[in-house]
Amino acid sequence: MNVIGIVGWKNSGKTTLASALIRELSNRGLTVNSIKHAHHGVDVDQPGTDSYQHREAGAQEVILAGGQRFAIMHELRGADEPTMEELLARLGPCDWVVVEGFKSHAHPKIEVHRQESSRAPLYPEDPSIIAVATDYAPEFSGPCFDVNDVPGIADFILSTGEL
């Protein structure tokens, strides 16, 4: 399983690029999984549903299954947030995992940075950033791509092979 991260500051276009890369890689016949890290509380379940009641009753994990998909909800109940390695281990087999977020982890990453950003780029302080997707010419020593050049970014990712 190959892993590529998409990182950047809020509203830089991370989700747009991650989604486009997932689509591009999938259209090329590859199996792609994803991990999205959120810094805020996440709840895919709603009060009043049966699965919500199961969690509220104390279940550590609840699988919500239907004809189109299933979701596993795991309650941490005070435990530490899982590491990226632990999350990767839970995924099914695939060719690539696109990770959005986890910017402090040392996996290979592409930074999305826009000229209009009031925040400095991450790449000067993060040696695991292997490329930058941007709308200007940054002072980055590695590959730089136009943020909209999804096929080019996908070609680069695939050319790197197992990172």
Side-chain angles (χ1 to χ4, degrees), residues 44-126:
V44 296
D45 209 0
Q46 300 299 315
T49 62
D50 296 346
S51 53
Y52 184 91
Q53 290 179 43
H54 294 188
R55 288 189 306 122
E56 287 295 304
Q60 182 173 328
E61 284 193 334
V62 174
I63 295 178
L64 178 59
Q68 299 296 314
R69 68 191 52 84
F70 71 90
I72 300 173
M73 294 167 280
H74 182 100
E75 292 297 313
L76 295 176
R77 304 218 186 274
D80 290 339
E81 180 178 337
T83 65
M84 196 171 85
E85 288 79 9
E86 292 168 330
L87 296 172
L88 287 168
R90 294 194 73 146
L91 289 175
C94 65
D95 297 310
W96 281 90
V97 178
V98 175
V99 177
E100 182 182 339
F102 279 99
K103 64 182 160 198
S104 62
H105 190 272
H107 62 292
K109 297 178 280 239
I110 296 173
E111 178 178 3
V112 181
H113 193 267
R114 297 188 182 266
Q115 188 169 12
E116 68 188 26
S117 176
S118 62
R119 309 279 309 257
L122 300 166
Y123 64 79
E125 306 299 323
D126 186 347

Side-chain angles (χ1 to χ4, degrees), residues 3-26:
V3 176
I4 188 67
I6 306 298
V7 297
W9 298 111
K10 183 177 180 177
N11 295 322
S12 63
K14 298 180 302 295
T15 301
T16 300
L17 179 58
S19 298
L21 280 173
I22 291 167
R23 186 174 298 105
E24 179 73 20
L25 295 171
S26 295

Side-chain angles (χ1 to χ4, degrees), residues 23-50:
R23 186 174 298 105
E24 179 73 20
L25 295 171
S26 295
N27 287 343
R28 293 182 186 199
L30 299 166
T31 305
V32 183
N33 292 341
S34 73
I35 296 176
K36 165 66 174 121
H37 186 257
H39 292 284
H40 47 81
V42 175
D43 199 346
V44 296
D45 209 0
Q46 300 299 315
T49 62
D50 296 346

